[in-house]
Amino acid sequence: MPQDETNNTGVAQWYVVHTYSGYENKVKDTLEKAVENRNMQDLVQEVIVPLEEQIEIKDDKRKTTLKKVFPGYVLIKMILTEESWHIVRNVRGVTGFVGAGGKPVPLTNEEIRNMGFEKVPVNIDYEVGDTVQVMAGPLESFVGIVQEINMKKEKVRVLVSMFGRETPVELEFSQIQKV
């Protein structure tokens, strides 16, 4: 890996590694052991194989199973350095990092949020009383005033003028923008 591809910010980011199909858990276990043996927990912080519950009904019996969300892929939260890249790349079953031209590309905050496996704080530039415009959804292009901000749910209550009346609507942080 060329030197200019390392992450010098010292901030761990999520990367996606492609594996042989069916090797996801072996790669996860092997990598976690290698990181522990080399005492590199500060560089490679987390390794996950995203799973989701699926309910199967067979012969009138409900059975809950865990299925891989991304078969053939493992997600790794790490600080990209020559050493961390090398340890991941040389785990048996890893075919490479996901990225352009062999260069590992970290997931964006939006991608991480959409996957739902890690809460990423959302920075908002509006507060109660500010005028905002709805940027997405059925109320797109409506303008309203922020009444309430719920940081836990990442929702905003906005008073929007509809049909000549002020109507409170609940929107996602990402759906509005300060005017």
Side-chain angles (χ1 to χ4, degrees):
M1 181 177 96
Q3 194 62 35
D4 63 330
E5 292 178 16
T6 58
N7 172 358
N8 295 323
T9 62
V11 176
Q13 293 179 294
W14 285 99
Y15 293 89
V16 181
V17 175
H18 191 262
T19 68
Y20 294 129
S21 188
Y23 273 70
E24 301 88 354
N25 291 325
K26 287 178 193 157
V27 166
K28 178 184 187 302
D29 294 342
T30 305
L31 183 55
E32 286 173 342
K33 284 180 185 138
V35 166
E36 192 175 324
N37 291 342
R38 292 189 170 100
N39 202 20
M40 291 176 56
Q41 293 90 337
D42 57 327
L43 291 178
V44 181
Q45 298 174 1
E46 200 173 341
V47 182
I48 61 172
V49 177
L51 301 171
E52 67 182 354
E53 277 188 8
Q54 284 192 335
I55 297 169
E56 294 175 358
I57 299 173
K58 201 173 190 180
D59 301 327
D60 290 334
K61 291 181 183 171
R62 271 174 83 108
K63 182 181 172 189
T64 304
T65 58
L66 289 175
K67 298 252 188 218
K68 293 180 184 104
V69 179
F70 307 113
Y73 295 94
V74 174
L75 286 86
I76 304 171
K77 186 174 187 177
M78 62 187 261
I79 297 171
L80 187 63
T81 65
E82 190 78 35
E83 188 180 13
S84 64
W85 178 88
H86 187 74
I87 194 170
V88 172
R89 193 64 190 86
N90 288 305
V91 168
R92 187 166 171 230
V94 170
T95 59
F97 278 90
V98 172
K103 179 182 177 183
V105 175
L107 294 173
T108 64
N109 283 344
E110 188 176 346
E111 290 168 329
I112 295 165
R113 222 183 341 274
N114 290 342
M115 288 182 196
F117 61 86
E118 181 179 271
K119 275 284 183 205
V120 177
V122 179
N123 294 327
I124 56 173
D125 64 345
Y126 45 81
E127 53 190 53
V128 173
D130 284 351
T131 302
V132 293
Q133 181 172 1
V134 181
M135 304 306 291
L139 301 175
E140 188 172 342
S141 78
F142 275 79
V143 175
I145 296 171
V146 177
Q147 271 193 314
E148 183 184 325
I149 299 173
N150 186 331
M151 295 303 280
K152 249 186 188 167
K153 290 184 178 178
E154 296 186 0
K155 302 243 185 214
V156 181
R157 183 175 304 143
V158 178
L159 206 56
V160 177
S161 181
M162 267 192 261
F163 311 116
R165 292 174 54 178
E166 298 288 307
T167 307
V169 292
E170 194 173 77
L171 301 164
E172 306 277 330
F173 282 174
S174 60
Q175 287 182 283
I176 63 172
Q177 178 178 307
K178 188 175 178 178
V179 178

